[in-house]
Amino acid sequence: MRRRKIQEESSSQHNWLLTYSDVITLVLCMFVMLYSFSTIDMQKFQQLVASLNQSLSGVLDGGKIIDINDLDNLPIDDDEDQDQKDQDDELLETYQQLVGLIKEYGLEDSIYVGIETKGIEIRFKDSILFDSGKADLKPSAFELLNKLTLILQKIDNEILVEGHTDNIPINTLIFPSNWELSAGRAISVVKYFVDQGISPNRLGALGYGEYRPIATNKTREGRLANRRVNIIVLRSTVN
């Protein structure tokens, strides 16, 4: 018993050495870290810290750092939204004027006007503008087209003119197929608009022949609907 007591007292007396050695180790580590910092380029170190702070506190948006807390308040391009609204309002006003023009001439059954995904579509039955098998505009259509031109001159939107036929073949010296007839009619309308003062860079002509029908070609009524000229006022404007 006496020996065990002596051993416990001896062990207790040397416990302070463990604490002392821990303190010495910590002090040594501190001096090593101080020495390491003394060899760092402080300018580069500060740049690194700044970069890390930005990465942790913000998100990258178009090359600019934005505070995460401001994500709900990101700037909106009000000018772009307003421009689009102005264009839509202008297109709607043009549509209303076109509807009024068609009613003025009592042609609701012969000319369709509607707002489609790509813009305003004005759909003429071919007999309003052309004689059968021909691509020269009828003189009786000039007055209507003149008033239509006045409406289209008020806006800057691009305009496509599409020619369409039924599936009854045509084979003449001037028009070997429905392709030539439909394209010739579209070109005649475009040239008329140019002559009336609409800028050529706003205009385009397309001939689809019989290949984009909107009704069956098996009936007289269906073929009559398929023989048409579409004037499309696109949503896009000429820059």
Side-chain angles (χ1 to χ4, degrees):
M1 294 293 294
R2 177 66 177 170
R3 179 179 296 175
R4 179 179 297 175
K5 186 176 182 179
I6 293 173
Q7 289 177 347
E8 290 178 353
E9 289 177 352
S10 175
S11 176
S12 177
Q13 290 174 355
H14 291 84
N15 282 343
W16 66 272
L17 291 174
L18 295 175
T19 301
Y20 178 76
S21 63
D22 288 341
V23 171
I24 293 299
T25 302
L26 289 174
V27 171
L28 178 61
C29 289
M30 183 184 70
F31 278 108
V32 170
M33 291 178 64
L34 289 175
Y35 175 76
S36 298
F37 283 132
S38 68
T39 62
I40 293 177
D41 186 331
M42 291 307 297
Q43 183 177 359
K44 292 183 179 180
F45 180 74
Q46 290 173 355
Q47 292 175 350
L48 175 62
V49 171
S51 177
L52 289 173
N53 285 337
Q54 289 178 339
S55 298
L56 293 173
S57 63
V59 293
L60 188 63
D61 178 52
K64 297 182 291 186
I65 298 297
I66 298 175
D67 193 328
I68 290 177
N69 296 324
D70 292 334
L71 285 178
D72 293 333
N73 301 313
L74 289 178
I76 299 175
D77 193 342
D78 293 332
D79 291 340
E80 182 176 347
D81 288 348
Q82 186 60 45
D83 287 345
Q84 186 60 54
K85 183 179 182 302
D86 291 343
Q87 289 182 26
D88 290 342
D89 291 344
E90 193 175 57
L91 208 63
L92 179 59
E93 182 179 352
T94 300
Y95 165 76
Q96 294 169 342
Q97 292 175 2
L98 292 169
V99 170
L101 177 62
I102 302 309
K103 288 183 178 180
E104 176 186 341
Y105 281 83
L107 295 172
E108 294 93 333
D109 294 335
S110 300
I111 303 176
Y112 161 84
V113 181
I115 297 180
E116 310 292 339
T117 303
K118 54 188 175 182
I120 300 174
E121 180 175 326
I122 313 164
R123 186 188 307 155
F124 291 80
K125 289 184 178 180
D126 70 334
S127 58
I128 299 295
L129 302 177
F130 303 98
D131 289 324
S132 178
K134 295 185 178 181
D136 297 323
L137 286 167
K138 296 165 64 172
S140 59
F142 292 166
E143 182 179 347
L144 175 61
L145 289 176
N146 288 344
K147 291 190 176 182
L148 176 59
T149 301
L150 293 177
I151 294 175
L152 298 180
Q153 284 177 328
K154 296 177 182 178
I155 57 177
D156 296 323
N157 298 61
E158 296 181 357
I159 301 169
L160 287 182
V161 181
E162 301 175 345
H164 300 266
T165 69
D166 58 24
N167 67 344
I168 297 178
I170 186 173
N171 186 9
T172 67
L173 185 62
I174 300 176
F175 305 115
S177 72
N178 284 325
W179 285 111
E180 284 84 2
L181 177 60
S182 63
R185 288 178 168 180
I187 292 171
S188 290
V189 175
V190 165
K191 290 176 67 176
Y192 188 85
F193 283 152
V194 172
D195 291 340
Q196 298 304 309
I198 294 181
S199 176
N201 68 341
R202 293 178 54 196
L203 296 164
L206 297 169
Y208 288 110
E210 71 258 37
Y211 298 104
R212 295 200 179 184
I214 58 173
T216 178
N217 279 305
K218 295 181 179 180
T219 65
R220 179 180 178 279
E221 292 75 14
R223 291 191 297 272
L224 182 63
N226 289 332
R227 297 195 298 269
R228 67 198 191 276
V229 172
N230 295 348
I231 298 174
I232 302 172
V233 183
L234 298 176
R235 292 186 180 275
S236 60
T237 58
V238 176
N239 296 323

